[in-house]
Amino acid sequence: MVRNQPSRPEEALGHMPLDVDVVGMWVTADGHIRQELLPDGRYDEARGRRSSAYTGRYTVTGSHIDYVDDTGFTATGDIRDGVLFHEHLVLYKEDQA
């Protein structure tokens, strides 16, 4: 029986990475795009003056995010060093003051 090789070092050690806490508001450096990741697995993205330009659901696996827009469009993102790289966008978590 052939077993799949672990794709990440932590899998080789027998543990999976913990899901990153992504809940909150993420914004581009210029503030034009604001993506709110809600605790219920939904997201709401505003672009400029257009609120709720995109809405849908997301799931988190480790530091990877999979998005499914309400229209069926899919996208992905990854969080590295506290920065969300979402397709061609770079978003930063807004301070929770």
Side-chain angles (χ1 to χ4, degrees):
M1 179 171 167
V2 176
R3 297 185 63 177
N4 291 334
Q5 292 294 320
S7 59
R8 294 187 260 188
E10 59 270 18
E11 292 174 9
L13 296 174
H15 21 54
M16 295 298 294
L18 296 175
D19 294 342
V20 173
D21 180 14
V22 299
V23 172
M25 183 66 73
W26 296 82
V27 298
T28 54
D30 63 5
H32 182 72
I33 298 174
R34 301 176 59 79
Q35 184 180 90
E36 185 174 14
L37 299 177
L38 302 164
D40 64 357
R42 299 276 306 161
Y43 72 89
D44 190 324
E45 184 175 303
R47 293 192 173 224
R49 294 183 184 184
R50 186 174 166 208
S51 62
S52 299
Y54 298 98
T55 58
R57 64 186 190 281
Y58 71 91
T59 56
V60 179
T61 306
S63 61
H64 179 81
I65 305 174
D66 288 299
Y67 297 86
V68 179
D69 186 88
D70 288 337
T71 65
F73 178 80
T74 62
T76 63
D78 290 287
I79 297 185
R80 294 189 302 271
D81 297 324
V83 178
L84 171 55
F85 296 88
H86 172 59
E87 299 297 334
H88 65 283
L89 301 173
V90 178
L91 298 108
Y92 303 89
K93 196 162 190 183
E94 189 172 75
D95 291 337
Q96 304 296 319

